[in-house]
Amino acid sequence: MGSQSQTLSAERESTGIDALIAPARAAARALATAPRARRDEALRAAAAALRAREEEILAANAADLAASTASAAFRDRLTLTPARIEAMARGLEDIADLPDPVGRVLAAWERPNGLKLRRVAVPIGVIGMIYESRPNVGADAAGLCIKSGNAVILRGGSESLHSARAIQAAIEAGLRVAGLPEACVQIAPDADRAHVGAMLAAVGGIDLIIPRGGKSLVERVLREARVPVLAHAEGLCHTYVDGAADPEMARRVLADAKMRRTGICGATETLLIDRAIAPALLPVLVADLRERGCGFVADDRARAILPELPPATAQDFATEWLDAKLSIAVVDGVEGALAHIARFSSNHTEAIITEDAAVAERFLNGTDSAVVMWNASTQFCDGGEFGFGAEIGIATGKLHARGPVGLEQLTTFRYDVRGAGQVRG
């Protein structure tokens, strides 16, 4: 065990991670006891700094985009605009307006011997955030961690390094205004991939790792981490259009669920449609999406209705496209939809479109996913849309947190036990 610890420490030192961890732990202690007013002041000042530094941030983002040769969907995730910078700033202000998650009394009771117990929400400590491509993720993570009393070490992707540094500078400005340590939010000094391995090995230094990026990144984190992880590997989301669906609602919701932003984890990747309405409605849904630039693959029953659709394989139904492409399957009612989802879902988000409340309840209770929706776009799986102000990621596991991870999910708890001299004797 000693030699393993020495190896892990050497890896951390070789990448400079220890230089970030020690200040982060000290900053976390300061932040955990800082009054809400100071944490909120830091968030509002950081929002003002983002707006004031808009031109600088856009110039940094332009440098990242100039170096990118990625797909259109990937470039969309990488791109910042004045509207997206404003959304980052508003997100920080929204987080500041939310109730304080720290110090909440989760439960309280008294024992027959007079001991009084309370379960109280407290920060986790130091969060390690590993993310790719979307530079706004750094601002969201910083805001949620500051509000919840956690220090955070950010490691963004090489493709967004200039943008991440410019955003980081605005966050640091906000911390200075509030008199909080700048080490509350730190960023890896460069794009060296060794930083990822060092963070994953930082037992005793980083308390929780949250990865947010492509499947290969998340799978690596889940495979190699020696630190607890909160993550989802894929967003293979389904929308099921039931036989009792309102056709116009189905058209409107599916178009948004697939095409609003195709490169996000909440985008619908598979359309399931009840065989009872597929002959009449499926051609209309496909025409709507094709007009917006979507491509398709489809099972045999869907191709019997629309023979021009390319055939889908089992691998297609297991693929998160993150692009303007949709898998289609015709199913036998809600039970057929649930069976398909059970086989292929990544347990992220599923949706049903129906006017039949009993069928909707069967669907809601019959899936094993973190988020299930009725008559709404899967793209609502987002911390901001859930009222969390923002999200630091999506979790599809079953321990500690599921779905969008916001302020409450970034706290743990302690037990306060108050006595009057009791002994067990």
Side-chain angles (χ1 to χ4, degrees), residues 237-239 254 257-258 266-271 325-326 351 378-379:
C237 306
H238 299 76
T239 293
L254 180 64
K258 178 66 237 181
T268 287
E269 303 291 19
T270 298
L271 165 65
K325 189 172 183 179
L326 181 70
T378 56
Q379 298 217 10

Side-chain angles (χ1 to χ4, degrees), residues 118-138:
R118 298 192 311 168
R119 186 184 302 129
V120 182
V122 296
I124 290 171
V126 176
I127 308 296
M129 180 74 186
I130 303 170
Y131 62 101
E132 296 175 327
S133 72
R134 293 177 64 188
N136 61 296
V137 168

Side-chain angles (χ1 to χ4, degrees), residues 12 16 23 27 98 213 219 223 249 327 345 353 359 364 366 369-371:
R12 284 159 54 179
L98 291 171
E219 287 183 339
R223 183 175 62 250
M249 179 190 292
S327 304
S345 174
I353 310 301
V359 170
L364 296 174
S369 295
V371 178

